[in-house]
Amino acid sequence: MALSSKKNKIIGWREWLNLPELGIRNIKVKVDSGARTSALHATGIRYLEQLNGETWVSFLVTKQLEPRKTVRVRALLVEQRKVKSSLGHASVRPVIRTMIQIGDEAWPVEITLINRDPMGFRMLLGRSAIRKRFLIHPSKSFLQSKPRGAK
């Protein structure tokens, strides 16, 4: 079965995205078809038990365009999942489900939270998040997006 770009938009290997439910805008992501799961750079991760039995997770996200500023956000914990890194190291990470927006497209995805300080991108967008939506152009960047406020 041939893939058709008429059905799927083309996305670059790097894009800008927003996490509107978390109030986070302008995150530069690496689109990585080799990674199944998306991962967001998060620090100060805390688990919060609610009266109704739900567990929420609170964490800090560094602003992309203002790297000295962080914002604390909360999201419902979906689960804790064992994830293997590209180096083969496994770790148990919190998983949240939230909306992402790239260009004029918005949809819910699962994202793991992990300290990505040593990595070049604050977020990795895995193949399960883009499946049936986008085809990746490996030599192009920012085909669907630019940071909010950019001309």
Side-chain angles (χ1 to χ4, degrees):
M1 178 168 146
L3 294 175
S4 167
S5 62
K6 292 179 183 180
K7 180 175 136 185
N8 298 322
K9 291 183 177 182
I10 307 296
I11 193 171
W13 75 272
R14 298 183 292 181
E15 291 289 344
W16 289 95
L17 68 73
N18 300 315
L19 301 170
E21 292 176 329
L22 302 179
I24 300 169
R25 294 192 320 220
N26 301 324
I27 297 177
K28 188 167 42 173
V29 299
K30 178 182 178 185
V31 180
D32 187 351
S33 63
R36 181 180 339 162
T37 310
S38 298
L40 175 64
H41 173 64
T43 58
I45 298 170
R46 291 188 249 161
Y47 295 91
L48 311 168
E49 283 291 326
Q50 299 295 315
L51 292 175
N52 60 5
E54 293 177 329
T55 301
W56 288 67
V57 63
S58 169
F59 54 96
L60 292 170
V61 176
T62 304
K63 291 190 170 194
Q64 183 81 46
L65 300 177
E66 300 172 86
R68 294 186 178 175
K69 291 187 179 181
T70 59
V71 60
R72 180 157 291 279
V73 297
R74 289 177 12 145
L76 183 64
L77 179 70
V78 172
E79 67 177 340
Q80 292 187 318
R81 184 179 300 157
K82 191 174 188 177
V83 177
K84 198 180 289 188
S85 75
S86 60
L87 300 174
H89 302 293
S91 64
V92 176
R93 302 179 188 177
V95 179
I96 64 169
R97 186 171 180 82
T98 191
M99 296 294 287
I100 66 169
Q101 177 187 12
I102 298 177
D104 59 358
E105 298 270 333
W107 68 99
V109 298
E110 288 187 351
I111 301 171
T112 65
L113 304 176
I114 186 77
N115 186 330
R116 292 183 49 82
D117 265 341
M119 307 305 208
F121 289 85
R122 291 204 172 83
M123 187 167 171
L124 191 73
L125 192 61
R127 68 179 175 268
S128 62
I130 60 171
R131 181 177 289 129
K132 297 183 182 177
R133 291 185 182 278
F134 295 102
L135 297 176
I136 305 167
H137 194 302
S139 65
K140 299 286 185 178
S141 297
F142 314 118
L143 295 177
Q144 295 294 323
S145 59
K146 57 178 118 176
R148 189 175 178 101
K151 306 260 187 249

